[in-house]
Amino acid sequence: MRARVPALLAVVALLSAPVAASALTIDDFVVDQLVAIPIGPPMAQSDANSEAMALGVREIFLERAAGFGSASADSSLTEAGVFSFSTGPGVVAGAALTYGGFGTVDVTDGGDSLFFELSVRSDLDAIVTVNFLSSGAISSADFAVAGMGTGVGDSFQFLNVLLSDLVGTADLENIDAISVFVSGPASLDLQIGVLRTVNTPVPEPGTLALLGLGMIGLAHSSRRRA
C-alpha cells in the first residue's frame, strides 16, 4: 500500500505540469509599444501606435471616453512580456489591439477542436472581446475577467473558448485580421500575458490544487485502511 502514495504524488505532479500545446501564438508581447493619454479636459481623446511583429502589424488604439485623468496601454514596458492597460481615477477608457498585414492564416491549425486562450489578470471586473475577421465576416467571443483586487503581481487567469463556439460567420481557416478589445470601469488596471490558439487549455491553478489535495487525501485514506 505504501507504494501507492509516491505513485499518486507522481500523477499529481504530472497533472500539475502545463499541458497546453501552442498551435498559433498571436501575441506574446515581446515587441515594445506604448500609447498614452495625459491628464486633460473631460472629453474624448485617443492615441494610437503601430509596430511590426511576427504576426503582421500590431496596432494599439487607446481612447478615453470620460474623465480628465490619464490612461495608458503598453506592451512589454510596464512589465516584460505583458500587455498592460491602466486608467486613472475616474477615467473610463478602452483599448483595442488589432493584428493585420499577415495575408491569411488558418487559426484552426487544420482542426476544428482547437481553443482560443488568453492569460489575463485585473484588479476590477472587465470584458475582453476577441474578434477573428475573414473578408469582412466576423466571429467573436467575450471573456469576463474577474477582478482579483490588485492586478499587477497576481497570478494570471487562463480563459478559453472552443474556436467552433465562436459566434459569427468568419472562415477560421482564412483569417486576415484579429482584434482584441479591453473595456471596464474607471480606475482599471488589467494585464494580458498571451493570446494564442491551443490544442489543450492550461488547467486553472485552483482546479489543479483541488485535484492534488483530493489525490493526496485518497492516498492517505487508503494507507489508513491498510
Side-chain angles (χ1 to χ4, degrees):
M1 192 63 63
R2 291 179 180 176
R4 290 188 182 181
V5 176
L8 287 171
L9 291 176
V11 170
V12 171
L14 178 62
L15 290 172
S16 299
V19 294
S22 179
L24 173 67
T25 297
I26 297 168
D27 202 342
D28 53 7
F29 302 107
V30 297
V31 177
D32 295 350
Q33 196 173 354
L34 169 68
V35 296
I37 297 172
I39 295 175
M43 58 182 289
Q45 192 172 345
S46 64
D47 188 26
N49 179 266
S50 297
E51 289 289 343
M53 47 179 293
L55 189 65
V57 174
R58 175 182 66 206
E59 180 186 72
I60 301 178
F61 176 80
L62 175 67
E63 183 173 27
R64 182 180 64 200
F68 60 87
S70 62
S72 65
D74 70 76
S75 168
S76 207
L77 295 175
T78 298
E79 182 176 350
V82 173
F83 171 77
S84 299
F85 170 68
S86 178
T87 61
V91 174
V92 178
L97 299 165
T98 58
Y99 304 86
F102 50 76
T104 62
V105 64
D106 177 3
V107 295
T108 72
D109 196 33
D112 58 3
S113 61
L114 263 65
F115 294 80
F116 172 80
E117 180 178 72
L118 72 153
S119 63
V120 62
R121 63 191 179 197
S122 178
D123 63 337
L124 302 173
D125 291 353
I127 299 293
V128 176
T129 300
V130 178
N131 296 320
F132 292 92
L133 297 91
S134 175
S135 300
I138 301 175
S139 289
S140 64
D142 289 337
F143 296 87
V145 180
M148 306 303 282
T150 57
V152 175
D154 284 347
S155 298
F156 281 93
Q157 308 170 54
F158 283 88
L159 305 178
N160 59 76
V161 65
L162 272 169
L163 289 175
S164 57
D165 288 341
L166 294 174
V167 177
T169 59
D171 179 2
L172 298 180
E173 296 182 0
N174 291 282
I175 293 301
D176 52 38
I178 300 166
S179 63
V180 179
F181 297 92
V182 178
S183 60
S187 305
L188 175 67
D189 289 308
L190 180 146
Q191 295 84 36
I192 298 175
V194 69
L195 306 168
R196 62 189 176 191
T197 61
V198 294
N199 297 309
T200 307
V202 171
E204 287 284 355
T207 301
L208 289 173
L210 289 173
L211 177 61
L213 288 174
M215 297 286 282
I216 293 171
L218 178 62
H220 180 68
S221 176
S222 299
R223 186 175 180 181
R224 290 188 62 183
R225 285 199 300 271

